[in-house]
Structure formats: C-alpha cells, structure tokens
Amino acid sequence: MKEGTSMSILSHRARELKPSPTLALTAKVKSMQAQGVRVISFGAGEPDFDTPTHIKQAAIQAIHEGFTKYTAVGGTDELKDAIIAKFQRDNHLTYKRSQVLASCGGKHSFYNLTQAILEVGDQVIIPSPYWVSYPPMVTLTGATPVIVETREQDDFKMRINDFRKAITPKTKAVILNSPSNPTGCAYTEEELQKIADIAIEKNLLIISDEIYERIVYDGFRCVSIASLGEEIKKRTVIVHGVAKSYAMTGWRIGFAAGPEEIIAAMSNIQSQSTSNPNSIAQKASIEALMGSQDEVMKMVSAFTERRSYIVDRLNTIPGVSCYNPSGAFYAFPNFSSNYGKSYQGQQVGNSTGLANYLLDAARVAVVPGIEFGADRFLRLSFATSMEDIREGVDRIEEVLKKLT
Ligand code: PLP
C-alpha cells in the first residue's frame, strides 16, 4: 500500500466478512475457562462425546501403514465408495464416483459449492433462522442472500407462499437445512415435495444441508429431497459430513453429492485451494460410514434424554417458550419477554445483550439468536453433560429473576 493513499490493505471481501460468531464464542469461553472461571457452555455445535474407538483405530492403522501422502483431490475411491454406499443405504439414492466429493468438512463442501455455482447478481433464498455461515458464504461470491423468515408457530418451517413470493428471475438456489441448526426443525416428505415442485417449476437449484440427518428424535424419518424423483435429484446438491453424527468435528471431513458438472467444478476449486482432505481422516471416515453404527445410536439416545430435559425445563421459566426439536442438538427458546428489562442500570436490549448478561452474571454461554437471523431467540446446544444442562438452566433462571 502506498503511503498517503486511502487504499486498504485488505480486500473489500475480507473487510466485509465477520468471523463466525459461534467459533468466536467458543474461543471466548475457552479463554475464560483457562483463567479458572467455571463457565457452563451451551455454545459449541459439537458433540461432547469422544470419537468412537473403532474409528480412531482406523486412523491409527492408516498412520502405521504409511497412508500419509496426497490422495485424489475429492477423496480416495474407497472413501467415495463409502459415501455412495451411505446414500444408497440411508436415502435410496444412487450416485457415481463422479457425483460425489469429499472436502475438509461440510463447511468446506458448502464453500466449494457456492464458489462453483454463484455469480454476482444471483439471489439465493435462505429460510431464517439459518446456520450462521450461509449468508456470508453466499455474499463472498457476490451473490445476494434473500432471507425468508419463518415463524415459531409454524415450527420454523418456511411457508410455501413465502417461498414463492421470494422467487425472482434472479433466484438461482434455495438452501434447505433439515434437521436445522439452530432450530432443530425437520421437514417431512410431504413438505419437501411441495418445495421440490416449486424448485422444478421455477428452475431452481436446491442446496440441501443434511449434516444432522442421523440425529433425530421420536422416530422422525429424515428424507432427502433429492430422493423425491429424478427431476429434483438433477437439481439438488446434498452437503453432508461425518462431524456431527460420529463426534468427528476436529477430523474435518465433509462431503457433497449432486450433478456431475457441479461436483467437477467444486473439485476444480478444491484442487486449487486445499487439495485433498486429510488422508488419515479419510480412512477414519470410511470406518465411520461403513463400520458399526452402534455408537451413533448411543449418542442419539443420550441427546434424546437431554433434549426432553432441557426443552421441558426451559418451558417452565416464566416468559420463555421453547420449540421441541425433531433433530440436531440445539434448543432455540424465545427469550424476548426479557428484552427491555435492566440490571443495575444496564438494559438488555436484544439477544446479544441477553447473551452477554448471561455470560457476565451467570457464567453461562449461549449464542444470541440474531446471529441466526432471529433476534427473539437464544441457541443452547445440549451436546453437553446432563449435569451442566441442569446447572446451566438453573443459573439462567436465577439471573433472569434479577432483571426488572
Ligand atoms: N452445516 C450445518 C448446519 C452445521 O451446523 C455445520 C457445523 O456447525 C456444518 C454444516 C459444517 O460442519 P463441518 O464443517 O464441521 O463438517
């Protein structure tokens, strides 16, 4: 940068981009905990369980066997075949190797996808509340996120009329996330069919983030929108990964499946940025997808117990209402009756103010709903111990009583 010019050293893109609020909160909690403060965190979007032993063993074996070199960009054939087998087994979807790609996490698959399909001027429909990274990743391409608000009384599912109204000649794609982060709502087959019909009629692509597919409650049957017929499959890209189902957040393996042309473009982008995902983690992911699924069942049964407790308990707090999620591991209660109240002269104005108050006064970390496009809510991850859930919600209730 020349001295005396007003030119910024940073690109416009970088200046506009906010860091991930959930990762920033996790970092803040870790630093408070390192200083000896007992913070109860409902912040992190990751299972508190360890990666199952048989998966770790596969990685250890990969190291011993010297499986430590570059692999094919989109993952080894063995991993691609495991991904293909997963889609066949769980979703009755048939893909070829050229239609699947493994990346460095589901987030990375999503990033490759937005870079592969979006142009300046395109519009992408995103129902809110949404996962924090969708709008920034869309914006990074120069495309525009078009937010369609959902309502608590509709279980946070997009009304078909609202979807229709949001479509313009510039709409390129719609993002679905079922089960959803942050609400835990999940679309039924009938609901997906209605969305699929419109996508076909209006020539839209569907980006279907199914990363929480395995974490569902009360016998909910997760259906992939891509499985509703050839027409919709041709225009759907599924984003998925091993992080949430197999407690493998740190291993960084995600994957995508969809039309050959799009997957090839995503692979090209990946070849010029990260190359292949970690070779050892690829071996571990094959074991995760193809090996025993018993540990997944155990984790889901623990989440089921915690979900019942936290949702019931939050609903007993005066002025709080909490939707009972069908999947994922988040409670998304409405705390807005507390906005406008004060403590020691400090007013709690919105979800950020309330989250800050809870962290300062109760040492409880939650994510403000505003980050997900829904300011009346807070997100509490229940991928944490029952003991912490009990104490954390008790603490929240106590400090709310101090607000007047
Ligand atoms: N999609 C959703 C809805 C998520 O919540 C996350 C993680 O928080 C991801 C994708 C990405 O997961 P990962 O990159 O860890 O595979």
Side-chain angles (χ1 to χ4, degrees), residues 45 105-107 131 134 177 181 209 211-212 243-244 252-253 330:
K107 192 182 253 182
W131 179 44
Y134 297 145
N177 175 212
N181 173 8
D209 182 342
I211 201 158
Y212 293 98
K244 314 287 177 175
R252 311 309 303 131
I253 298 286
Y330 308 102

Side-chain angles (χ1 to χ4, degrees), residues 354-369:
L354 186 59
N356 286 337
Y357 172 66
L358 295 180
L359 191 55
D360 293 343
R363 305 288 190 229
V364 171
V366 301
V367 188

Side-chain angles (χ1 to χ4, degrees), residues 31 35 40 85 137 149 191 261-262 279 304 388 390 394:
S31 100
Q35 287 160 28
I40 293 185
M137 283 203 260
E149 276 182 36
E191 290 162 344
E261 188 186 2
I262 298 179
S279 62
T304 306
D388 275 8
R390 281 203 186 90
D394 287 352

